[in-house]
Amino acid sequence: MEEYYRIILVLLAVAIAVSVLAPKLKVPLPVLLMLAGIGIGFIPHIKYVPIDPEIVFLLFLPPMLYDAALNLSYRGFTRNIGSISGLAVPMVLITMTAIAAVSHYFIPGISWPVGFVIGAILSPPDAIAASAIIRNMNLGRDTKDILEGESLVNDATALTAYRIAMGVVAGGAFVFWKASVEFVAIIAGGLVVGLVMAWLFVKLLQYVPLKSIPTVSLNILLPFVAYQFAESLDASGVLAVVAFGLYISRRVSCGCLFSQETVEQSRSVWSVLIYLLSGLIFILIGLEFPQALHSIPKGTIVPLVWSSLLIFLIALAVRILFIFEHKFSYDKLHMRSRRKARQDGSMKETRSLDWKNALVIGWSGMRGIVSVATAIALPVTFTGGTEFSQRGSLIFLTVTVVILMLLIQGLGLPVLIRLLKINAPEDKKEL
């Protein structure tokens, strides 16, 4: 235990050092942290630090999701809810199906149910990666809101689909109406838990005046409680935290929840916490690659790498096509609304997102720690004692796809923005 404690301290020190170097090297911090993790993982005699999925889902995910939700503009989220929900639900399901088809037809021994497990693992863009990479980029407010809002909600869709797919792989039967009811119940349950807990938190602060430090402490504790409580009810812990964060964000933005002193203290605490957690997360992703590489037969490495590249290309192509199809559909609706507004004498008009920002949204969508942790959480054996023989290959495939996305999309995004000469507009745009 003491050895692991020392390793975590060393990794945190590396994360801090890399964060200082990243601006000078002009490389996105998540990419540089991941490369540092890969490098450390290949150093001989370095003690391996396994990613415990339970630790990721219970310790890392709630604060990262809550911080992203709290910093996301509530008005921007509601203004772009159509685009966000389209990317977070149908986009995830379409991507999952496309990846399942590629896995089934191009990877030997992958059945359709296992293919859908791979698709569910690799379909959701990561909130942590999205926030970290686009934070300092010159993008319009709505573009950032769409990307961050999408990455907050889509984990719930993917993890729910993952539960259903794993049930089929473990020997269950897929019944569409039952799966649909389960999907809706998990999503709705998470939303209810998050909103109720946020409402209770607000009422508590209204009727029991608390000083800044207890308030900030509760603000840190409750996202963990919301996540755990929702999961204990078989609801979506992800959506519980997101709903909690958005509700609190709305109350904070109107200045009717926290005092200015509490807001400043809360920001200071959260900024340090998220800085350390995010640094550690991307290093751990990199560290996982050497272990995944050593866990599979040598003869399968090259085919799995090619399969990973194919999955990456298919996922990226599907995303870009979906974004532009959605944009064109919105443009048609926008033109009809504009004609109607002119006929009614109304001067209020909106503008759709231009093709440059649509392309940026399409190019974005890197996968991250949630995909890696979900893959590592795959069971070694099923309930009946049957071995899950493809587990090692699925973990290697997942880690490789995540690395490809962070490298190619993460490094390519700043270049794409410069080539397109995108300047953050002052006016509001909508997709």
Side-chain angles (χ1 to χ4, degrees):
M1 188 66 184
E2 184 179 352
E3 189 174 4
Y4 280 103
Y5 176 73
R6 291 174 181 171
I7 291 170
I8 293 298
L9 289 180
V10 170
L11 293 180
L12 285 172
V14 171
I16 294 170
V18 169
S19 68
V20 174
L21 291 174
K24 298 179 181 179
L25 297 176
K26 297 182 179 179
V27 176
L29 180 58
V31 176
L32 206 56
L33 288 167
M34 182 195 65
L35 292 175
I38 294 174
I40 294 171
F42 279 111
I43 297 175
H45 310 301
I46 289 291
K47 183 73 175 180
Y48 170 58
V49 181
I51 297 178
D52 187 336
E54 292 299 321
I55 294 296
V56 172
F57 291 134
L58 296 178
L59 183 61
F60 285 88
L61 203 54
M64 303 298 288
L65 287 171
Y66 180 67
D67 177 71
L70 202 60
N71 289 311
L72 179 64
S73 165
Y74 178 82
R75 185 174 298 176
F77 182 85
T78 55
R79 183 174 59 249
N80 294 294
I81 189 65
S83 299
I84 291 170
S85 59
L87 291 170
V89 182
M91 175 75 253
V92 168
L93 298 177
I94 292 171
T95 304
M96 178 181 69
T97 304
I99 292 175
V102 171
S103 302
H104 176 67
Y105 288 113
F106 291 93
I107 305 177
I110 298 296
S111 63
W112 273 109
V114 175
F116 274 102
V117 169
I118 300 172
I121 290 172
L122 287 170
S123 56
D126 187 62
I128 302 167
S131 298
I133 289 180
I134 69 173
R135 184 176 293 121
N136 297 319
M137 291 187 179
N138 191 31
L139 296 176
R141 180 68 261 174
D142 279 7
T143 302
K144 287 187 176 182
D145 287 342
I146 290 170
L147 286 172
E148 292 176 348
E150 171 212 358
S151 61
L152 281 175
V153 181
N154 58 24
D155 283 339
T157 304
L159 291 174
T160 303
Y162 170 80
R163 290 188 195 181
I164 297 170
M166 278 304 301
V168 177
V169 172
F174 179 78
V175 180
F176 180 77
W177 72 268
K178 288 184 178 180
S180 301
V181 170
E182 181 181 358
F183 184 87
V184 172
I186 292 172
I187 298 296
L191 290 173
V192 170
V193 169
L195 291 174
V196 169
M197 287 196 63
W199 182 81
L200 290 174
F201 180 42
V202 170
K203 290 300 178 184
L204 173 66
L205 295 181
Q206 288 176 346
Y207 292 106
V208 183
L210 297 176
K211 293 184 178 180
S212 293
I213 292 179
T215 302
V216 173
S217 301
L218 271 177
N219 196 33
I220 293 174
L221 174 65
L222 288 178
F224 294 96
V225 176
Y227 184 91
Q228 183 60 37
F229 184 55
E231 290 292 321
S232 68
L233 298 176
D234 288 329
S236 172
V238 169
L239 276 187
V241 175
V242 171
F244 184 92
L246 287 174
Y247 189 97
I248 299 301
S249 173
R250 183 184 181 188
R251 301 289 297 186
V252 170
S253 64
C254 69
C256 50
L257 184 60
F258 299 149
S259 66
Q260 187 60 36
E261 180 186 3
T262 301
V263 170
E264 291 175 359
Q265 288 186 352
S266 182
R267 284 175 180 169
S268 299
V269 172
W270 276 107
S271 62
V272 173
L273 179 63
I274 299 305
Y275 173 77
L276 293 175
L277 288 178
S278 59
L280 189 57
I281 279 174
F282 289 105
I283 286 184
L284 290 175
I285 290 175
L287 278 172
E288 198 62 35
F289 180 72
Q291 291 303 311
L293 185 63
H294 296 322
S295 68
I296 60 173
K298 300 296 182 184
T300 63
I301 293 175
V302 173
L304 285 174
V305 169
W306 281 112
S307 299
S308 302
L309 180 60
L310 182 59
I311 288 174
F312 158 67
L313 293 173
I314 290 296
L316 181 60
V318 168
R319 180 178 175 85
I320 291 175
L321 289 172
F322 183 91
I323 293 290
F324 275 92
E325 190 281 331
H326 185 68
K327 170 182 163 50
F328 294 147
S329 297
Y330 183 89
D331 285 346
K332 291 179 182 178
L333 180 63
H334 163 69
M335 291 301 294
R336 287 197 294 268
S337 300
R338 196 160 112 179
R339 284 196 296 267
K340 184 177 179 181
R342 287 176 177 174
Q343 291 172 359
D344 295 342
S346 172
M347 297 302 295
K348 184 179 179 180
E349 294 184 0
T350 61
R351 286 164 42 190
S352 63
L353 199 72
D354 60 39
W355 70 270
K356 292 183 179 181
N357 283 281
L359 182 58
V360 167
I361 293 175
W363 182 265
S364 305
M366 292 69 68
R367 277 52 166 180
I369 191 64
V370 173
S371 294
V372 174
T374 306
I376 294 171
L378 289 167
V380 177
T381 58
F382 296 115
T383 306
T386 306
E387 183 182 356
F388 190 6
S389 58
Q390 296 115 329
R391 181 178 182 273
S393 297
L394 265 60
I395 293 174
F396 177 79
L397 193 74
T398 300
V399 174
T400 306
V401 171
V402 168
I403 290 173
L404 285 172
M405 288 183 168
L406 286 172
L407 282 175
I408 298 174
Q409 291 175 262
L411 290 174
L413 189 56
V415 177
L416 180 65
I417 292 172
R418 285 198 300 269
L419 289 175
L420 295 177
K421 298 179 180 179
I422 293 178
N423 294 312
E426 295 182 359
D427 56 324
K428 298 293 181 183
K429 294 184 177 183
E430 304 210 15
L431 180 62

